[in-house]
Amino acid sequence: MQQSRSEVIERDGLYELNAGSDVLDSPRYNADIAPTQVRERTWNKWHITALWIGMSICVPTYTLGGVLTAYFGLSVGEALLAILLANIVVLIPLTLNAFAGTKFGIPFPVLLRSSFGVIGSNVPCMIRALVACGWFGIQTLFGGLAIHLFLGSIFDGWKALGGTGEVIGFMMFWTLNLWVVLRGAESIKLLETLSAPLLVLVGIGLLVWAMPNVSLSELLAQPPKRPEGASVYSYFFAGLTAMVGFWATLSLNIPDFSRYAKSQKDQILGQIFGLPLTMILFASLGVILTAASAKLVGVTVSDPVSLIGHIQSPFWVAVAMALIIVATLSTNTAANVVSPTNDFQNIAPKLINRTKAVMLTGLVGLLLMAHELLKKLGLLVSNVSLETVYSNWLLGYSSLLGPIAGIMVVDYFIIKKQMLDLAGLYRDDVYPAWNWNGFIAFGVPVALTLLSLGSSTFSWFYDYGWFTGSFLGGVLYYGVCRLTGARSVSLAKPTA
């Protein structure tokens, strides 16, 4: 006979939910966004390290140095320093927001119900989901190009397909990504664990290939592309903000993964080991290979897929493209499909299960890339560059996501004092439907960001959007909660 009231069980500092009919029958619950049981939390620090290696080694990371030098006016040395510092900075919200996922086994949208309300959580969820779907489409373009070049290295006739072959490759890679996520968290863990050491070896191999053809001293001595005599600080901090924005998305939805961690120590060490070092090393590799590409293949090429496509040996092209497909797949599934899958389910858990949410993620990503796909098919002529779109996007969306990160940290650690009503997060009788404290703290920084776009005096508020937004969002949330008397929700004493 099914119990009527849910029970919360505590095991060595980790909480799990023994769901009763009050939760199982709730419209806010389904099995896919339910808290993980302690026995399901099997990811140790090396699994989480592998997750970050797999997510960080990808084409956009490779191009970050070029983005900072071309669009943000930084020198090579300044660009690499900005990348390193940004990933150290982003570790702070990543680690803090992962705590609740590890302790209670809950995904990102369920955690947001505490700070934005049970229904209101869908607003920040959809902001996060849209960004993830956009990145899913961009990464799938890179993966599709790799498949196209892989098949072209094996079948001579495939090369003649040109842009059509790239679109076919896109759809093949699109399908592969959705298939991996549909198989569940253990499938993603296996993919990341197997791909991480392989990707590190690939990076070392590419470095050995490039180093004889580039002078590091000359590379670091190249002057920055900014007005002569201009102060470095404004350019550097704008670039730093953009680089923080690169993983600003994951700093929000990290509970989607930390809910599988064995302990807080595992999630903390795994992120420290996996993120900053991988990002700086692979971004540095991108700078070196781009500089060496003129001697390697006769033309300057800024992305690894196109660079390897210039190699004359079909065998090495095939091997390299297969590895890039693995690298892009490991990034895309974890970073860009898991989050919107959970976010879309949060809208109506009883109507949208994981399978439907994965397909919805794929459809939105496909629609967002329709412009590029039509260009490749020759059905649309446009001068809009994909690199320009995502370099501008990095800075813009980080301004929107910063306040959410600040609100989440303040809500969990200061207002709720690291204690949540686990069963109440899946019902309508504990947390409000709309937590207006969260929306006030979110809306003010966003409004100021939009207003600063039209003001030269306050343009710094936009340029440093993630920092200004997260700080102001957190401070405002704390202040509004104090004024309204919001405090932690007591949790019924758990059973051991």
Side-chain angles (χ1 to χ4, degrees):
M1 183 177 177
Q2 187 183 89
Q3 64 186 42
S4 60
R5 298 295 296 180
S6 299
E7 294 179 344
V8 177
I9 302 169
E10 188 264 336
R11 303 182 191 278
D12 298 322
L14 303 179
Y15 291 77
E16 63 181 27
L17 182 67
N18 184 10
S21 58
D22 60 323
V23 166
L24 295 174
D25 296 337
S26 169
R28 314 301 169 199
Y29 174 91
N30 73 22
D32 295 318
I33 60 172
T36 52
Q37 298 295 299
V38 172
R39 67 176 181 275
E40 297 176 298
R41 302 177 202 180
T42 60
W43 294 32
N44 61 32
K45 59 181 176 293
W46 302 117
H47 292 126
I48 296 171
T49 299
L51 172 73
W52 278 109
I53 292 174
M55 288 196 294
S56 298
I57 297 181
C58 59
V59 175
T61 301
Y62 180 100
T63 62
L64 286 181
V67 168
L68 287 175
T69 55
Y71 294 98
F72 290 88
L74 300 183
S75 68
V76 170
E78 292 163 354
L80 295 179
L81 178 61
I83 292 168
L84 177 61
L85 289 179
N87 284 282
I88 292 173
V89 168
V90 85
L91 265 179
I92 298 171
L94 269 168
T95 305
L96 293 177
N97 281 331
F99 265 74
T102 301
K103 184 174 182 177
F104 293 101
I106 53 176
F108 165 66
V110 174
L111 177 58
L112 276 183
R113 294 175 181 179
S114 172
S115 51
F116 284 87
V118 175
I119 297 176
S121 61
N122 288 300
V123 175
C125 277
M126 288 305 98
I127 294 172
R128 171 65 183 100
L130 181 62
V131 171
C133 289
W135 275 113
F136 169 66
I138 290 171
Q139 292 274 18
T140 303
L141 279 174
F142 289 128
L145 176 59
I147 288 178
H148 169 65
L149 293 174
F150 172 78
L151 293 174
S153 68
I154 299 175
F155 307 109
D156 290 335
W158 190 273
K159 294 179 183 178
L161 293 175
T164 302
E166 291 184 39
V167 174
I168 295 173
F170 176 96
M171 295 308 303
M172 294 170 67
F173 192 69
W174 182 87
T175 302
L176 183 60
N177 277 266
L178 302 189
W179 178 77
V180 169
V181 179
L182 283 171
R183 291 178 59 85
E186 285 300 306
S187 174
I188 294 173
K189 183 178 81 169
L190 179 63
L191 172 65
E192 303 296 341
T193 303
L194 293 177
S195 65
L198 181 64
L199 297 177
V200 171
L201 290 175
V202 171
I204 294 171
L206 288 172
L207 188 62
V208 170
W209 178 46
M211 283 305 294
N213 297 280
V214 66
S215 167
L216 292 181
S217 58
E218 292 179 7
L219 186 61
L220 293 172
Q222 291 178 359
K225 298 177 181 177
R226 58 175 179 262
E228 189 174 350
S231 171
V232 66
Y233 295 106
S234 61
Y235 289 89
F236 183 83
F237 282 106
L240 182 68
T241 300
M243 292 305 99
V244 170
F246 191 81
W247 286 124
T249 51
L250 264 293
S251 72
L252 301 184
N253 77 285
I254 190 63
D256 289 334
F257 300 101
S258 67
R259 66 195 290 233
Y260 298 103
K262 286 185 173 182
S263 67
Q264 299 292 2
K265 182 179 179 181
D266 282 303
Q267 69 92 356
I268 293 169
L269 291 178
Q271 296 197 86
I272 292 174
F273 294 160
L275 177 59
L277 192 59
T278 307
M279 286 293 293
I280 187 62
L281 289 179
F282 202 67
S284 299
L285 175 64
V287 171
I288 291 170
L289 274 171
T290 300
S293 60
K295 291 184 179 179
L296 289 170
V297 298
V299 62
T300 300
V301 182
S302 61
D303 80 81
V305 180
S306 299
L307 175 62
I308 295 168
H310 282 82
I311 298 174
Q312 298 302 312
S313 168
F315 172 77
W316 286 113
V317 170
V319 171
M321 287 304 153
L323 295 173
I324 285 180
I325 291 167
V326 172
T328 310
L329 181 66
S330 64
T331 300
N332 218 15
T333 51
N336 302 319
V337 183
V338 170
S339 177
T341 295
N342 288 334
D343 295 338
F344 288 136
Q345 289 183 82
N346 192 60
I347 299 172
K350 294 299 185 188
L351 299 177
I352 305 175
N353 60 16
R354 185 176 65 195
T355 300
K356 292 178 181 178
V358 169
M359 298 311 298
L360 185 57
T361 298
L363 178 61
V364 175
L366 180 63
L367 291 174
L368 290 175
M369 287 300 108
H371 174 268
E372 285 295 316
L373 296 176
L374 291 173
K375 281 172 61 177
K376 291 182 182 299
L377 291 171
L379 300 176
L380 179 68
V381 178
S382 172
N383 294 322
V384 177
S385 122
L386 186 64
E387 188 178 52
T388 302
V389 169
Y390 85 74
S391 63
N392 290 334
W393 197 356
L394 280 174
L395 187 58
Y397 80 62
S398 69
S399 301
L400 293 178
L401 299 181
I404 301 173
I407 291 166
M408 289 175 68
V409 170
V410 170
D411 178 71
Y412 182 68
F413 285 95
I414 300 178
I415 305 302
K416 303 298 166 46
K417 303 185 187 304
Q418 300 187 60
M419 189 54 66
L420 301 171
D421 187 322
L422 191 53
L425 288 170
Y426 294 89
R427 303 198 309 260
D428 292 316
D429 59 346
V430 176
Y431 295 90
W434 297 84
N435 185 350
W436 296 111
N437 294 345
F439 282 96
I440 292 169
F442 174 66
V444 171
V446 169
L448 290 174
T449 299
L450 295 175
L451 290 173
S452 69
L453 287 173
S455 169
S456 57
T457 305
F458 294 101
S459 60
W460 57 270
F461 197 92
Y462 172 79
D463 293 338
Y464 312 138
W466 190 88
F467 295 98
T468 54
S470 58
F471 176 78
L472 185 56
V475 169
L476 282 173
Y477 186 73
Y478 175 76
V480 175
C481 286
R482 287 297 298 268
L483 287 173
T484 59
R487 54 184 182 269
S488 61
V489 177
S490 60
L491 175 64
K493 187 177 180 180
T495 57

